[in-house]
Amino acid sequence: MKELKDLIRYAQRVLGTKADGIIGRKTAPLVNRAAAKVAAIGQNWPIQRKLIALVQVRAMLSGIDPGKIDGYLGPQTLYAFELLETLEKTGSLPATWRDEDNAHQTDQSVG
């Protein structure tokens, strides 16, 4: 799954190790050390689940809703990851597809 590899590479860059998309002998201890500092991450979770949870936490701390911090790579986590990457590359989140200031006017004019 390309999305998972991208997420692993992202986490590896954040953790300061080679971003190869593989959770190996260099990445795993870094993930375990970082996960041990976060109460929401189960210490008995498999390493991949911990890594995903760390990205979920980073998104949450950046003001992005990743959904429940559960270490699962579902649609909400993938969307949050996309937003997190955009935020870190550009310094801002992408504009919403709908202007909230004008949403009320638009809704009233329909029908």
Side-chain angles (χ1 to χ4, degrees):
M1 172 188 244
K2 181 186 179 321
E3 293 92 351
L4 177 59
K5 284 258 192 203
D6 290 344
L7 190 134
I8 293 169
R9 284 187 194 101
Y10 169 82
Q12 289 171 321
R13 285 191 300 273
V14 170
L15 292 169
T17 191
K18 181 181 176 187
D20 60 8
I22 300 167
I23 305 173
R25 60 183 172 79
K26 292 183 181 179
T27 302
L30 296 172
V31 170
N32 282 325
R33 205 169 309 132
K37 298 176 185 176
V38 182
I41 299 176
Q43 296 311 300
N44 61 337
W45 290 359
I47 195 73
Q48 180 177 300
R49 188 172 174 195
K50 288 180 186 178
L51 183 139
I52 294 167
L54 286 170
V55 174
Q56 290 172 326
V57 169
R58 189 168 176 97
M60 182 187 68
L61 293 174
S62 297
I64 300 166
D65 179 14
K68 184 178 178 181
I69 307 299
D70 58 7
Y72 293 114
L73 190 59
Q76 184 66 33
T77 297
L78 286 171
Y79 180 67
F81 174 54
E82 288 176 22
L83 292 178
L84 183 60
E85 281 192 309
T86 300
L87 176 63
E88 292 185 1
K89 285 178 185 172
T90 67
S92 62
L93 292 170
T96 58
W97 66 274
R98 184 174 177 179
D99 181 2
E100 292 301 323
D101 292 335
N102 295 321
H104 184 62
Q105 283 182 321
T106 304
D107 289 344
Q108 286 183 340
S109 66
V110 176

